[in-house]
Amino acid sequence: MRTEYEPVIGLEIHVQLSTRTKMFCGCELSFGDEPNTHTCAVCLGLPGALPVVNERAIHFGLMIGLAFGCDIAERSEFHRKNYFYPDLPKGYQISQYDQPLCRGGEVGDVRIHRVHLEEDAAKLNHLGESGRIHGSGRSWVDFNRGGTPLVEIVTEPDIRSPEHAREWLTLLRTTLRVLGVSDVNMAEGSLRCDANVSVRPVGSTELGTKTELKNLNSFRFLERGLRAEIRRQIDLLQAGEPVVQETLHYDPRSDRLTPLRSKEEAHDYRYFPEPDLVPVLATEEMIAAARAAIPELPADRAARFERELGLSAERARLLAFRSELGDYYERAVAADGEDPVGLANWIPQLVERIGPDANPAESSVAPESLATLAAMVAAKEVSRDAAREVLTLLVREGGDPRTIVEREGLGALSGEGDGLAEIVQRAIESDPAAAAQVRSGNRKALGPLVGYVMRETKGRADGGEVTRLILERLGPS
Amino acid sequence: MTELIDLTAAQAARGVQTGEIGAAELFEAYRRRAAGEELNAFLWVADSPAAGGSPADRPLGGVPLAVKDLFCTEGVPSQAGSRILEGYRPPYTATVVAKLTAAGAPLLGKTNQDEFAMGSSNENSGYGAVLNPWDRGRVPGGSSGGSAAAVAAGLAPWAIGTDTGGSIRQPAALCGIVGLKPTYGACSRYGMIAFASSLDQAGPLTRDVTDAALLFRHMVGHDPCDSTSVEFPGQVALPVAEDLRGIRLGVPEELTGDAGGVQSGVRESFEATLNLAEGLGASVEPCRLPHAPHALSAYYLIAPAEASANLARYDGVRYGLRVDGDADLITMYSRTRARGFGPEVKRRIMLGTYALSSGYYDAYYGTAQKVRTKISEDFRVAFEQFDFIATPTSPWTAFELGSKTDDPLAMYFNDFCTVPMSLAGIPAISIPSGLSEGLPVGFHLAGPAFSESRLLDVAYALERAIGFDGRVART
Amino acid sequence: MLDRAQVLHVARLARLELDDDEVQRMAAELSHVLDHIEKIRELDLDGVAPTSHVVDIVNRLRADEPMPCFPPEVALAAAPEPLRTAAGTGFGVPSPLADESP
């Protein structure tokens, strides 16, 4: 019998903080500017230069820690992490080691191990081949990014599938965006993700040998990289071979994982307390200021949507975990709050039309218009099918739904004025067999009759109204 | 000309301020001496004082300043005595230098030093040894050997240096001048090319105690660019004491006994100075610093460990020497550093890297940090009973060039008496206490953190009683 | 106490190329120094807190206010290999091997 395996995944996320200046110097943060135009003695690692901690980076770190429910360290220290690389100007990275700013806490269903502050490396560019590390030729360093404040967020190994990882990272990203501490843009590298992956037989509580996956820098690559690595590990174990602890680089183009370094080159970072900096003590004032700066978080917002607006848990999470959807929805509810549950059902319809990653606030559909449309459906002024068509037109050209309904003649047909009764009559006449079955009490036979009416009215008729009219005529006598 | 050279810096400043001396004439007198010197004390000499306001209106009166090479000075070679930084001209100036220039001490030149301040003889300079003006066959001490020799020889009215484990005090002692290592944090380290960050301090090297106080007064203060710097409590007082009544001096047997191998001539001068102190009204009693004999070991773990990281930036990427740039990256790094660093620097990088490496951290670096705690406690306890602690500065007078270069450990014992104070971060001063076989001997006094004004006062009273004459070296 | 292999390992960590003579001399000299230093390990230091800072200060924080940066020509003034590219000028280096990544 084949053993079933389950993956055990922990994530390490690096997030660039959206302070104005770098972690340890006054150079302004930038993206896409001319290389080496945002540097000074400190972030170039010139002889004699000394770091000074950015107050707002600490503030943001505390906000994140409090939002995650972490224990905030009374005293935290910076260490030097020593290694040589051209993007590391001092030959060490100033980071936190055994006294991080925050420990513990949780985001959604994943526990947080620790949150600490550090400085980002500079950008190493490779001439010739783009972006790939290769054996020969020249590279060049742009120090604009070097020294950008980073938080490193390390989770406990609580994630059980690539899909779970993706969904959770979405929640984390939204949480950080709502906090206003980062742009969390994976494409621009302001949110970067590494993963620790192991597999174990289902039911086992022991952890298997883990590997570290680097370069999972989009939601898609995260999911695909994890899937590839889980498959690789299971294949190894099923073939009776061991998983080797190593660091792997995921190449999204080939969907392949390659070891980053041989074992002999295992790093020895020689951490020791950074003598150029003094400890950070999170004072009550600092913690109070951080707490006061925290807005409503996605998890809290989802709970509020359930509690106050009556949304299902799934729908509430869908809207709250992408803050732009939640924001849009709340503006629509503010415009017309009669039926928040019905209104919420229209958001996925809108997303389907504008694309999965687009921000509805930037679409041509004003939240007020969506609210109007939903209200028209609720009042049976327009059928559900016709309303979908109206939404398509709104996405294409914007405007007011009432005007579109009128212009396109999409208003709901009623039995009295609009000749719906005549069409119903024609339907009954065109399919006597179905009519007979309905008459004898078989409601399943309503289908073809309703379908006939819908076709004839191009969906403008309200399904419920049509059924009512048919039954009125064919009601079991 | 000789008259100008005979003035102390404070006297010269007063002369400029009262109009008796022209600042330009003063600068030129020293510039000519510095440019024509034969001790290898200077690595660079200014052509003229940097333009600025009128020196006569400023507290340091236009008296030119010699600056240890490792202080970054904008547009001026700042090489920390190392070939790896040959010709490097930084785009910014160290805070301490900027403060002194603003206070009216124009930059005279950059002085030779042991490479990255690692050494006690100045023989570790990448630019050749400095000669002791008292005997050119001997070392001036180190690492601020160029600054000490320049002041002793009258090539500069005063100078600044840095002290990590004794690098101001020991060369001051060997050259017969005054050297003050301030409380850690009193002076900004911004722009000082780092050796060991938790120990490095800038300080004055001067002809007498008054000059030291005057220069030091304008060096102190919190610098927003140095997180470890603090505001000095009050203004540094110029010394006035005429006696030492009520002053309690402690003499630690651990540092003055046989362990440090103190030369007999040094011991005699030390004891004679203690007698003078008693004559001035001070009490002199033995005291205990039980962990002080272990200070040297702790120091030679902590300082190299920090240095191994501080010197990692010299990698041939952004500035300085690069060797074999066409080879692969790790070869470029390793050859650049192999060629750019001298043997002592390599030794300390190796020692420090080893002390921090996986599996050894607790045994070496971690233990050294605990010893550091015990040493600070020893001083705290001692200062409950004593105002100041007295030792010889160096166990020896200036030794012959080349006589200790083959034995690194023996060289390290130069710092036996000075290192404990460095580890505790407390201020200490060396003043000349006399001659032994024609060579200067230093008397070393240490006080609690930020006691510099009182320390300078005591040193001043002793200096007057000793009546040391350093003119011989200024020929 | 330090053997040849250890010296080579540490030299590799420190990115210092040593020739055979230097390796031998370094092993001897460092062993000699460490023999002396070792004595501190005999001290009873149980429960003693390590000192990494002698000044008792905390929270030296800088306001998040921009300061002037170097113009690129100043930043690159001392660069051994200023490398002009279409995007601008960078600090040229040999491309790292995959093995050398952090």
Side-chain angles (χ1 to χ4, degrees):
Chain A
M1 203 186 75
R2 277 210 149 173
T3 316
E4 288 285 315
Y5 289 94
E6 68 166 359
V8 176
I9 303 165
L11 299 181
E12 255 183 57
I13 301 104
H14 288 91
V15 182
Q16 287 183 340
L17 297 179
S18 47
T19 50
R20 283 191 74 187
T21 66
K22 294 185 178 182
M23 184 71 214
F24 298 115
C25 66
C27 289
E28 216 161 346
L29 302 189
S30 63
F31 182 81
D33 281 6
E34 188 191 329
N36 295 305
T37 53
H38 293 261
T39 71
C40 71
V42 177
C43 61
L44 279 176
L46 296 193
L50 298 172
V52 185
V53 175
N54 183 337
E55 187 174 34
R56 201 190 309 266
I58 300 288
H59 175 68
F60 283 173
L62 292 174
M63 281 175 68
I64 292 169
L66 292 169
F68 292 0
C70 304
D71 292 327
I72 306 293
E74 271 176 46
R75 176 192 175 94
S76 68
E77 263 188 23
F78 288 95
H79 273 61
R80 290 183 182 179
K81 177 183 181 180
N82 297 285
Y83 64 92
F84 286 88
Y85 210 60
D87 63 11
L88 192 68
K90 299 184 295 294
Y92 54 84
Q93 180 193 32
I94 305 178
S95 181
Q96 295 193 298
Y97 182 54
D98 57 1
Q99 298 184 58
L101 193 63
C102 319
R103 281 183 206 269
E106 57 195 26
V107 175
D109 55 355
V110 173
R111 289 169 302 151
I112 300 297
H113 177 63
R114 58 184 274 158
V115 177
H116 79 237
L117 286 162
E118 59 186 32
E119 57 178 338
D120 205 351
K123 193 163 190 320
L124 184 62
N125 303 282
H126 306 284
L127 282 187
E129 269 188 281
S130 62
R132 268 207 63 196
I133 294 174
H134 59 102
S136 61
R138 311 312 288 176
S139 298
W140 58 278
V141 197
D142 168 11
F143 286 95
N144 284 353
R145 190 184 76 182
T148 298
L150 288 182
V151 284
E152 181 178 305
I153 299 164
V154 182
T155 77
E156 297 291 352
D158 287 352
I159 296 169
R160 289 292 173 271
S161 72
E163 299 74 28
H164 186 195
R166 181 186 178 134
E167 191 198 329
W168 183 80
L169 193 63
T170 311
L171 168 62
L172 179 77
R173 187 173 69 158
T174 304
T175 305
L176 295 168
R177 182 180 289 150
V178 168
L179 283 172
V181 297
S182 173
D183 299 335
V184 286
N185 185 329
M186 288 187 96
E188 290 182 3
S190 56
L191 187 148
R192 306 195 284 268
C193 186
D194 301 334
N196 289 304
V197 188
S198 63
V199 298
R200 66 182 176 195
V202 171
S204 163
T205 51
E206 276 172 46
L207 292 172
T209 305
K210 67 178 179 185
T211 55
E212 192 183 356
L213 255 61
K214 299 248 181 204
N215 198 35
L216 304 172
N217 291 333
S218 80
F219 286 95
R220 225 154 49 88
F221 296 165
L222 171 68
E223 216 176 323
R224 280 170 48 187
L226 286 172
R227 208 168 280 142
E229 175 56 10
I230 291 163
R231 194 169 51 237
R232 191 187 69 89
Q233 289 193 13
I234 292 176
D235 286 351
L236 277 174
L237 293 176
Q238 284 179 339
E241 289 173 43
V243 173
V244 178
Q245 184 164 351
E246 59 188 339
T247 302
L248 301 160
H249 176 95
Y250 177 65
D251 181 359
R253 285 181 302 183
S254 62
D255 200 32
R256 282 187 52 186
L257 297 147
T258 42
L260 256 180
R261 69 178 77 89
S262 53
K263 266 181 301 172
E264 308 84 76
E265 263 307 293
H267 280 275
D268 181 351
Y269 291 123
R270 291 160 281 137
Y271 282 97
F272 75 99
E274 165 58 286
D276 288 333
L277 294 172
V278 298
V280 174
L281 262 64
T283 62
E284 278 176 34
E285 293 77 26
M286 287 159 75
I287 290 174
R291 205 183 293 282
I294 297 175
E296 184 186 38
L297 297 171
D300 300 334
R301 191 182 212 184
R304 178 167 60 83
F305 284 173
E306 278 188 64
R307 194 177 60 239
E308 292 178 6
L309 302 177
L311 303 195
S312 71
E314 194 191 352
R315 183 55 46 90
R317 280 212 304 273
L318 177 95
L319 297 183
F321 288 8
R322 274 186 64 194
S323 51
E324 68 275 22
L325 298 188
D327 292 349
Y328 186 89
Y329 172 63
E330 293 214 60
R331 281 174 60 193
V333 169
D336 188 334
E338 264 311 297
D339 178 16
V341 177
L343 184 48
N345 293 333
W346 283 97
I347 304 282
Q349 292 285 329
L350 176 60
V351 168
E352 193 178 286
R353 283 167 176 73
I354 60 176
D357 296 323
N359 180 356
E362 288 162 13
S363 78
S364 47
V365 187
E368 295 77 15
S369 301
L370 193 73
T372 304
L373 187 62
M376 287 171 76
V377 174
K380 299 198 188 320
E381 291 169 41
V382 62
S383 73
R384 200 167 295 279
D385 283 348
R388 292 200 173 105
E389 214 177 312
V390 175
L391 185 57
T392 305
L393 290 168
L394 278 172
V395 167
R396 199 178 302 153
E397 59 197 42
D400 173 43
R402 283 186 198 284
T403 318
I404 292 177
V405 166
E406 227 164 90
R407 190 189 73 206
E408 301 289 325
L410 287 169
L413 297 175
S414 70
E416 289 76 44
D418 300 321
L420 185 59
E422 287 76 38
I423 299 169
V424 167
Q425 191 54 43
R426 279 212 302 282
I428 291 168
E429 285 162 11
S430 72
D431 196 343
Q437 285 193 37
V438 172
R439 201 173 275 122
S440 65
N442 182 1
R443 290 180 65 108
K444 277 185 188 161
L446 273 168
L449 301 178
V450 173
Y452 179 94
V453 176
M454 289 305 182
R455 268 195 310 280
E456 288 292 302
T457 62
K458 298 192 173 69
R460 291 163 64 202
D462 180 78
E465 175 72 0
V466 172
T467 304
R468 192 183 64 79
L469 287 171
I470 295 172
L471 289 177
E472 200 177 272
R473 280 161 179 75
L474 302 178
S477 46
Chain B
M1 268 317 153
T2 35
E3 286 165 21
L4 280 183
I5 301 304
D6 284 338
L7 298 173
T8 68
Q11 289 164 345
R14 210 172 308 121
V16 172
Q17 284 155 352
T18 57
E20 286 163 48
I21 300 171
E25 181 195 1
L26 179 68
F27 189 92
E28 182 53 25
Y30 277 107
R31 193 204 65 77
R32 205 172 305 144
R33 285 180 69 85
E37 58 109 357
E38 291 170 346
L39 302 174
N40 199 25
F42 279 90
L43 296 176
W44 178 88
V45 177
D47 289 331
S48 59
S54 161
D57 301 336
R58 288 188 276 173
L60 300 182
V63 178
L65 177 73
V67 171
K68 189 176 184 179
D69 195 27
L70 61 67
F71 287 91
C72 284
T73 35
E74 186 178 346
V76 167
S78 306
Q79 312 161 122
S82 180
R83 288 287 174 187
I84 210 160
L85 280 175
E86 187 166 1
Y88 176 66
R89 293 169 188 255
Y92 77 109
T93 296
T95 300
V96 160
V97 175
K99 281 176 87 106
L100 292 176
T101 311
L107 176 64
L108 172 65
K110 301 296 289 286
T111 55
N112 203 346
Q113 60 166 95
D114 282 302
E115 184 179 8
F116 290 107
M118 298 179 189
S120 311
S121 70
N122 224 110
E123 291 165 295
N124 298 332
S125 168
Y127 302 89
V130 178
L131 313 182
N132 191 316
W134 292 82
D135 176 346
R136 294 184 182 200
R138 291 174 188 271
V139 304
S143 66
S144 309
S147 287
V151 172
L155 310 175
W158 48 15
I160 56 172
T162 59
D163 191 312
T164 307
S167 278
I168 287 174
R169 293 163 284 165
Q170 186 258 11
L174 269 51
C175 288
I177 61 166
V178 173
L180 172 69
K181 182 207 91 79
T183 306
Y184 183 83
C187 303
S188 169
R189 292 183 296 115
Y190 191 71
M192 256 167 60
I193 298 177
F195 162 17
S197 310
S198 77
L199 296 156
D200 293 344
Q201 257 303 285
L205 293 107
T206 56
R207 220 178 271 180
D208 69 13
V209 175
T210 304
D211 283 1
L214 181 60
L215 199 55
F216 179 57
R217 172 186 279 186
H218 296 280
M219 294 174 73
V220 298
H222 170 62
D223 176 5
C225 292
D226 176 2
S227 307
T228 63
S229 69
V230 288
E231 203 52 64
F232 196 81
Q235 196 185 42
V236 175
L238 297 184
V240 291
E242 296 190 349
D243 62 58
L244 297 178
R245 268 175 294 181
I247 299 291
R248 300 161 300 170
L249 294 184
V251 180
E253 42 195 276
E254 293 85 358
L255 297 178
T256 54
D258 292 332
V262 179
Q263 271 176 357
S264 60
V266 171
R267 187 185 303 279
E268 281 161 26
S269 176
F270 177 63
E271 279 162 8
T273 308
L274 291 177
N275 287 338
L276 278 178
E278 281 182 317
L280 290 167
S283 68
V284 177
E285 301 285 341
C287 77
R288 294 293 317 275
L289 294 173
H291 296 86
H294 298 285
L296 204 62
S297 298
Y299 175 84
Y300 275 97
L301 290 168
I302 291 169
E306 292 181 7
S308 72
N310 284 332
L311 270 58
R313 65 189 63 194
Y314 307 104
D315 59 3
V317 176
R318 283 145 297 121
Y319 44 77
L321 182 72
R322 170 186 282 193
V323 175
D324 282 354
D326 292 329
D328 60 277
L329 182 67
I330 194 164
T331 305
M332 185 279 277
Y333 278 157
S334 306
R335 290 195 182 148
T336 296
R337 294 164 59 78
R339 182 90 59 83
F341 293 137
E344 181 60 26
V345 171
K346 288 185 202 176
R347 204 148 39 225
R348 296 204 197 178
I349 289 175
M350 291 289 292
L351 186 56
T353 303
Y354 179 66
L356 289 173
S357 66
S358 177
Y360 297 97
Y361 181 95
D362 288 337
Y364 290 119
Y365 189 75
T367 304
Q369 282 189 313
K370 290 179 179 179
V371 172
R372 192 171 185 180
T373 305
K374 298 300 278 184
I375 286 166
S376 290
E377 281 176 15
D378 286 356
F379 277 112
R380 192 176 45 73
V381 170
F383 287 132
E384 284 169 7
Q385 276 185 54
F386 298 95
D387 298 303
F388 300 100
I389 291 186
T391 74
T393 309
S394 166
W396 317 301
T397 54
F399 45 92
E400 282 176 15
L401 285 159
S403 63
K404 290 186 197 288
T405 40
D406 289 339
D407 187 351
L409 188 61
M411 191 70 100
Y412 297 168
F413 270 87
N414 269 297
D415 300 331
F416 185 74
C417 296
T418 48
V419 147
M421 295 74 182
S422 298
L423 288 172
I426 58 174
I429 192 168
S430 177
I431 59 169
S433 61
L435 296 176
S436 163
E437 297 176 20
L439 294 170
V441 176
F443 182 79
H444 188 217
L445 268 178
F450 299 107
S451 67
E452 279 89 339
S453 289
R454 291 191 299 131
L455 186 63
L456 287 157
D457 223 21
V458 171
Y460 176 75
L462 282 172
E463 174 183 72
R464 286 170 41 124
I466 293 164
F468 182 80
D469 184 354
R471 274 177 301 179
V472 184
R474 289 199 294 276
T475 47
Chain C
M1 195 173 42
L2 261 180
D3 62 26
R4 200 185 141 74
Q6 280 174 301
V7 168
L8 285 171
H9 171 69
V10 173
R12 166 101 177 167
L13 281 177
R15 298 291 185 270
L16 277 176
E17 188 177 76
L18 302 179
D19 62 31
D20 281 350
D21 281 358
E22 284 177 302
V23 172
Q24 210 147 28
R25 204 166 55 237
M26 201 67 89
E29 286 169 349
L30 291 182
S31 297
H32 182 49
V33 171
L34 283 166
D35 274 345
H36 178 79
I37 287 176
E38 292 271 303
K39 290 179 197 139
I40 60 168
R41 294 167 68 176
E42 293 158 16
L43 291 171
D44 178 13
L45 297 167
D46 279 355
V48 177
T51 296
S52 48
H53 295 88
V54 285
V55 277
D56 192 19
I57 43 178
V58 295
N59 288 355
R60 276 293 159 74
L61 306 174
R62 168 181 65 79
D64 186 25
E65 303 288 345
M67 300 283 279
C69 296
F70 289 147
E73 63 275 15
V74 171
L76 285 140
E81 185 187 349
L83 218 153
R84 234 171 278 282
T85 73
T89 310
F91 294 83
V93 286
S95 292
L97 306 171
D99 255 18
E100 293 171 281
S101 75

